[in-house]
């Protein structure tokens, strides 16, 4: 990386380190103390921008931000390698400390000085301001709600609730569907079903008890392609459910006067079915819905990960652009949402037919695109494939971007 950029490793490291600490908020920054030397180096590097050689061939001198634009898309418009956006935006702690504060209607100006380039939100020499002119009127109020997203939301939002990595017992002990109205075998959105909690832990309805649930089945073991170790269990998402009535008991007296205490299961209404639901499917509380704003950046530490699985179908052998893969690195390995990684092909072992001994050789791994981590678990993370030249398969490598 240093050969192509001309920047010292310490400079790039300090910049990525500082950007990660500052852009993800004060609480997160406390986990990444910045030394005086790192701060000084980052300011020096970021304030001058990126080498001109890093600019895209048709990078515009000015660009008016439009609705539907994304941070990644604009960075790709200006840069050959979009993940280097912190340097392009001029992350010098005084100007544009958060690139997400870029809105439709703003004009971006490309400044080129002494062989380096950077983006501004005002022409060179003018003091930037937060007033954004949009037709047909001028707005000077807070526009935080209209700031550019990193990626098109529809690419990631479905996966923010779907993938779930759990230990083997979590799903087994979760409430389960036990019966349906009219004894249907398969259920869909709009149907009503009955649910029981684990023994000794009935699904009650009361203060503090979740009303919204996600439904899963088949906790499939996720094995490390290298060691064969089980990293966790991926539960298959099938839909959503709302708790209507809690689980209770009811006394029944027979003709002889004997009393039986019957269990009355909880009632749920099914919604947003990804596929047909059935008895035995498990319920887990749905997470609070929130907007996820990612900060795409290179990892601070070396990463050497492998593709564990292709999300969505076990029958598919290759994943393509805008699909999701799981990798064998997670929070315990320092992986964070927003980390950008380079995909490498898995070099094939082939027979050298030109050799009279027909020796086996291994072809080199080649760069195959870029992915961004968007959801992490302890030992597994999910990656959205942003750019892919060839199909991605289990066992392919992901490393720091080059």
């Amino acid at each position: 990386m240093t050969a192509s950029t001309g920047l010292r490793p310490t400079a790039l490291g300090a910049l990525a380190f500082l950007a990660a600490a500052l852009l993800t908020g004060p609480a997160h920054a406390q986990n990444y103390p910045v030394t005086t030397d790192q701060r000084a180096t980052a300011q020096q590097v970021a304030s001058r921008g990126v080498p001109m050689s890093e600019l895209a061939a048709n990078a515009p001198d000015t660009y008016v931000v439009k609705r539907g634009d994304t941070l990644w898309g604009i960075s790709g418009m200006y840069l050959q390698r979009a993940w280097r956006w912190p340097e392009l935006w001029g992350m010098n702690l005084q100007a544009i400390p958060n690139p997400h504060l870029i809105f439709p209607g703003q004009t971006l100006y490309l400044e080129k000085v002494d062989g380096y380039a950077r983006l501004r939100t005002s022409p060179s020499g003018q003091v930037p301001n937060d007033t954004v002119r949009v037709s047909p009127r001028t707005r000077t109020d807070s526009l935080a709600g209209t700031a550019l997203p990193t990626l098109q939301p529809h690419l990631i939002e479905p996966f923010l609730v779907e993938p779930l990595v759990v230990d083997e017992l979590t799903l087994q002990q979760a409430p389960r569907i036990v019966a349906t109205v009219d004894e249907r075998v398969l259920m869909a959105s709009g149907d009503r079903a009955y649910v029981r909690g684990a023994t000794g832990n009935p699904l009650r309805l009361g203060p503090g008890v979740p009303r919204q649930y996600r439904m899963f089945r088949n906790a499939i073991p996720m094995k490390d392609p290298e060691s064969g170790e089980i990293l966790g269990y991926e539960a298959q998402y099938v839909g959503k459910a709302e708790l209507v009535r809690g689980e209770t008991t009811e006394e029944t007296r027979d003709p002889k006067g004997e009393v039986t205490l019957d269990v009355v299961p909880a009632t749920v209404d099914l919604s947003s079915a990804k596929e047909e639901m059935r008895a035995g499917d498990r319920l887990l509380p749905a997470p609070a819905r929130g907007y996820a704003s990612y900060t795409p950046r290179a990892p601070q530490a070396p990463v050497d990960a492998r593709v564990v699985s292709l999300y969505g179908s076990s029958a598919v052998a290759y994943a393509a652009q805008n699909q999701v893969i799981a990798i064998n690195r997670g929070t315990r390995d320092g992986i964070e949402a927003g980390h950008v990684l380079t995909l490498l092909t898995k070099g094939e072992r082939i027979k050298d037919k030109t050799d009279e001994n027909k020796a086996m050789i291994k072809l080199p791994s080649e760069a195959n695109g870029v992915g961004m981590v968007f959801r992490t678990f302890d030992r597994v993370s999910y990656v959205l494939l942003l750019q892919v030249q060839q199909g991605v398969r289990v066992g392919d490598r992901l490393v720091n971007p080059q």
Side-chain angles (χ1 to χ4, degrees):
M1 177 168 64
T2 55
S4 62
T5 64
L7 300 179
R8 294 179 293 117
T10 54
L12 284 176
L15 177 63
F17 190 87
L18 186 60
L22 293 174
L23 295 182
T24 50
H28 191 74
Q30 294 173 3
N31 297 326
Y32 294 92
V34 181
T35 68
T36 302
D37 289 343
Q38 287 171 331
R39 182 180 295 274
T41 303
Q43 288 176 326
Q44 176 186 358
V45 174
S47 63
R48 65 183 178 183
V50 297
M52 294 281 289
S53 60
E54 287 291 317
L55 288 179
N58 298 318
D61 291 329
T62 60
Y63 179 74
V64 179
V65 181
K66 305 186 298 294
R67 292 191 181 277
D69 280 340
T70 62
L71 174 63
W72 185 264
I74 290 178
S75 295
M77 182 193 310
Y78 280 96
L79 291 171
Q80 296 180 32
R81 296 180 287 183
W83 62 268
R84 291 195 63 182
W85 65 270
E87 295 155 80
L88 178 67
W89 293 116
M91 300 299 298
N92 61 0
L93 311 189
Q94 278 78 42
I96 319 179
N98 186 347
H100 290 288
L101 299 183
I102 296 172
F103 312 97
Q106 278 185 313
T107 300
L108 303 178
Y109 300 87
L110 183 62
E111 179 185 71
K112 303 174 183 178
V113 178
D114 297 330
Y116 287 85
R118 56 182 274 180
L119 278 179
R120 293 180 176 274
T121 54
S122 61
S124 180
Q126 293 187 15
V127 178
N129 62 71
D130 294 329
T131 301
V132 181
R133 185 174 298 278
V134 291
S135 179
R137 61 192 178 93
T138 299
R139 297 184 60 180
T140 57
D141 55 326
S142 172
L143 298 176
T146 61
L148 294 192
T150 298
L151 303 168
Q152 292 292 352
H154 73 272
L155 294 179
I156 283 185
E157 283 182 352
F159 302 109
L160 295 180
V161 296
E162 290 187 13
L164 181 71
V165 179
V166 296
D167 57 54
E168 192 171 14
L169 293 178
T170 297
L171 214 56
Q172 293 180 0
Q173 297 176 350
R176 65 195 184 280
I177 293 180
V178 295
T180 64
V181 175
D182 300 330
E183 298 183 354
R184 297 176 184 173
V185 176
L186 299 176
M187 295 160 278
S189 179
D191 287 342
R192 175 161 285 190
Y194 304 109
V195 177
R196 290 192 63 187
T199 303
N201 189 25
L203 183 58
R204 305 287 193 193
L205 182 60
V209 176
R211 296 288 296 269
Q212 304 299 322
Y213 287 83
R214 295 179 299 167
M215 300 179 59
F216 298 90
R217 74 166 64 108
N218 300 339
I220 301 171
M222 305 180 77
K223 294 184 178 181
D224 190 304
E226 296 182 297
S227 66
E229 181 183 6
I230 294 179
L231 305 173
Y233 292 81
E234 183 180 68
Q236 178 187 355
Y237 173 82
V238 294
K240 299 178 181 179
E242 180 180 0
L243 180 61
V244 178
R245 286 191 298 266
E247 193 172 344
T248 60
T249 57
E250 185 177 292
E251 290 186 356
T252 301
R253 190 180 299 274
D254 63 19
K256 297 181 179 180
E258 295 181 356
V259 176
T260 302
L261 192 63
D262 294 321
V263 172
V264 179
T267 302
V268 298
D269 286 337
L270 308 179
S271 63
S272 302
K274 185 177 181 181
E275 58 183 81
E276 292 179 313
M277 293 162 273
R278 56 179 184 248
D281 288 346
R282 304 281 177 163
L283 280 72
L284 291 171
R289 183 176 176 82
Y291 174 75
S293 180
Y294 300 95
T295 307
R297 61 197 185 278
Q300 300 168 31
V303 174
D304 189 358
R306 297 293 187 279
V307 177
V308 173
S309 63
L310 315 180
Y311 183 74
S313 174
S314 58
V316 175
Y318 293 90
Q321 189 163 309
N322 294 334
Q323 290 186 299
V324 170
I325 59 173
I327 63 173
N328 63 343
R329 297 290 185 267
T331 53
R332 64 184 289 179
D333 306 297
I335 298 297
E336 301 173 7
H339 277 173
V340 175
L341 300 171
T342 291
L343 292 142
L344 300 177
T345 59
K346 185 178 181 181
E348 296 285 357
R349 295 185 73 252
I350 65 170
K351 183 180 295 185
D352 182 0
K353 296 181 180 179
T354 66
D355 183 348
E356 61 180 13
N357 297 319
K358 301 298 186 287
M360 296 300 296
I361 59 175
K362 184 179 183 300
L363 299 180
S365 296
E366 300 286 356
N368 188 34
V370 176
M372 189 189 78
V373 176
F374 69 91
R375 193 168 186 204
T376 58
F377 293 90
D378 186 37
R379 305 182 66 188
V380 173
S381 297
Y382 287 94
V383 176
L384 177 67
L385 301 179
L386 299 175
Q387 300 166 4
V388 174
Q389 282 80 51
Q390 302 177 29
V392 177
R393 57 181 175 172
V394 171
D396 282 358
R397 292 176 64 198
L398 293 92
V399 298
N400 299 65
Q402 303 296 314

